Amino acid sequence: MRRIAALCLTLASLGLAAQGAAAETFRFTAIPDEDQARLVERFGKVADYLEARLGVAVEYVPVNSYSAAVTAFRNDQVQLAWFGGLSGVQARRLVPGSQALAQGSEDDAFMSYFIAHESTGLAMADELPDELEGMSLTFGSRTSTSGRLMPEHFFRERFNDVDPEAFFSRVGYSGDHSRTIALVEAGTWDIGAVNYTVWEAAVADGRVDTDRVSVIWATPPYPDYNWTLRGDADARFGEGFTERVRAAFLEMDDPELLASFPREAFIPADNALYAPIEEVAEELGLLR
C-alpha cells in the first residue's frame, strides 16, 4: 500500500508539473512607437488572436521605451517582440538563437518622412534642401530605425557626413512618431523625422493638420519592423512552437487587425534581412 501511495504521489506531482508547464504564459511586447492607448488596443487584439492560434495563454506587456522592450526580451520577461529594425538587431545580438520570423509586407521597403512646419516655407522636394541648415530638428526615439537611425544615415549622405548637432540649431528626441508629428505641427520644432506609416495613418484619420505640417522629403527604402522570437521558445512551449508562431503571423488575414499596424499582410523574414540596418548602426556607433 505504501508503494501504491508513493506511486500515486509521484504521478500527481508529475501531473502538476505538466499542468504548470502547459499553463505557462507566453508574453510579448512591442516598441512604443505611437500613443500608448493605441498600442494597448492594437496588441490586446493580437494577444487574443495568438491565444486562439497557439493554444496557450498570451499576454501583451507594454513598455515605456525602445530600450525597455529590448531589456524585457533579453531578461526573458517576454519571449516575442514587435521590434523596429535596429531594436530587433540589438535584441538578437543579446539573445543568441533568436529569430526574426515575420515582417509586414511593407517592411522590406520601408521609408521615413522628413516633415516641416509651415513657417519654414519648405515644400516636397527630390532631396533634402540646403535651407535646413540652422533650423531645429527632432528625431523620434534615440534608437528608432525609422525615427532616427535611417533618417540620420540619409541626412549624412546628403550633407557629406556632417553631424546633425553641428548642422541644426538644436536636435531633440521626441520619444515616438506620434509625438514628433504633434511637436512639429505645433511649431515646437521646425523639422521632424517620422515613420511613414504613422504619418499616413494620422493623415487618414484626420489627426494631423496638413496646412500646418507637411512632408518635404521621403527617404529611399530600407528593411524595418519585424516579429522576433527568443531561441528557447520550443524548449519552453513545446517542439514546433516557433513554426506555429511564424504561421500565426503569416496566416493573419483579419483586415481590421492588419489595418491597426497598418500592414496589408505579414511575410516571411529572417535575421539576414537586417544586415544593412546592423551595418548603419555600427557606423553611427549605436551598437555596443
Side-chain angles (χ1 to χ4, degrees), residues 115-133:
I115 59 175
H117 188 261
E118 54 88 21
S119 64
T120 65
L122 298 175
M124 189 68 179
D126 293 334
E127 65 177 6
L128 289 172
D130 293 335
E131 289 82 2
L132 288 178
E133 188 168 7

Side-chain angles (χ1 to χ4, degrees), residues 166-237:
F167 185 89
F168 293 96
S169 60
R170 58 194 176 106
V171 173
Y173 298 89
S174 71
D176 67 59
H177 301 291
S178 297
R179 194 171 294 120
T180 295
I181 295 170
L183 289 171
V184 177
E185 181 178 335
T188 307
W189 297 88
D190 297 320
I191 308 296
V194 66
N195 168 329
Y196 88 101
T197 65
V198 175
W199 169 269
E200 298 289 358
V203 171
D205 293 347
R207 290 182 285 114
V208 57
D209 182 352
T210 52
D211 289 332
R212 295 176 59 83
V213 56
S214 60
V215 177
I216 61 168
W217 188 65
T219 69
Y222 55 85
D224 200 356
Y225 288 75
N226 57 93
W227 286 105
T228 287
L229 182 69
R230 284 178 60 94
D232 57 2
D234 282 15
R236 294 273 296 280
F237 297 97

Side-chain angles (χ1 to χ4, degrees), residues 257-272:
L257 191 53
L258 289 168
S260 71
F261 277 88
R263 300 294 189 275
E264 290 190 0
F266 287 104
I267 60 176
D270 58 55
N271 296 358

Side-chain angles (χ1 to χ4, degrees), residues 8-284:
C8 288
L9 285 171
T10 300
L11 291 172
S13 65
L14 287 172
L16 286 173
Q19 275 187 330
E24 184 172 5
T25 300
F26 179 56
R27 294 181 171 87
F28 74 97
T29 194
I31 54 171
D33 59 354
E34 282 194 87
D35 173 79
Q36 195 63 253
R38 291 177 64 86
L39 294 177
V40 170
E41 180 182 5
R42 177 202 305 176
F43 290 109
K45 294 176 181 178
V46 172
D48 293 341
Y49 169 77
L50 289 177
E51 191 163 286
R53 283 293 304 252
L54 301 175
V56 298
V58 178
E59 179 184 350
Y60 166 58
V61 180
V63 292
N64 59 15
S65 70
Y66 284 51
S67 60
V70 174
T71 298
F73 190 83
R74 179 192 65 195
N75 293 343
D76 198 22
Q77 295 166 296
V78 298
Q79 294 76 53
L80 172 75
W82 176 239
F83 284 129
L86 175 56
S87 49
V89 166
Q90 291 173 320
R92 291 189 295 273
R93 284 166 65 119
L94 290 168
V95 187
S98 299
Q99 301 179 50
L101 300 182
Q103 60 177 192
S105 55
E106 296 82 356
D107 291 310
D108 62 341
F110 211 76
M111 293 183 296
S112 296
Y113 287 159
F114 278 76
I115 59 175
H117 188 261
E118 54 88 21
S119 64
T120 65
L122 298 175
M124 189 68 179
D126 293 334
E127 65 177 6
L128 289 172
D130 293 335
E131 289 82 2
L132 288 178
E133 188 168 7
M135 293 184 180
S136 61
L137 166 76
T138 183
F139 291 117
S141 167
R142 289 178 183 273
T143 54
S144 169
T145 307
S146 54
R148 190 277 176 89
L149 176 71
M150 298 311 291
E152 181 171 343
H153 168 67
F154 291 119
F155 165 82
R156 286 175 177 268
E157 276 194 343
R158 167 68 176 87
F159 292 105
N160 300 315
D161 202 33
V162 66
D163 188 330
E165 297 277 357
F167 185 89
F168 293 96
S169 60
R170 58 194 176 106
V171 173
Y173 298 89
S174 71
D176 67 59
H177 301 291
S178 297
R179 194 171 294 120
T180 295
I181 295 170
L183 289 171
V184 177
E185 181 178 335
T188 307
W189 297 88
D190 297 320
I191 308 296
V194 66
N195 168 329
Y196 88 101
T197 65
V198 175
W199 169 269
E200 298 289 358
V203 171
D205 293 347
R207 290 182 285 114
V208 57
D209 182 352
T210 52
D211 289 332
R212 295 176 59 83
V213 56
S214 60
V215 177
I216 61 168
W217 188 65
T219 69
Y222 55 85
D224 200 356
Y225 288 75
N226 57 93
W227 286 105
T228 287
L229 182 69
R230 284 178 60 94
D232 57 2
D234 282 15
R236 294 273 296 280
F237 297 97
E239 185 177 350
F241 188 78
T242 296
E243 290 310 312
R244 285 160 52 205
V245 175
R246 188 196 307 272
F249 288 118
L250 299 185
E251 295 168 13
M252 184 185 287
D253 58 5
D254 181 339
E256 182 180 353
L257 191 53
L258 289 168
S260 71
F261 277 88
R263 300 294 189 275
E264 290 190 0
F266 287 104
I267 60 176
D270 58 55
N271 296 358
L273 289 175
Y274 300 92
I277 298 296
E278 188 165 8
E279 182 180 342
V280 171
E282 291 277 12
E283 290 173 0
L284 296 181

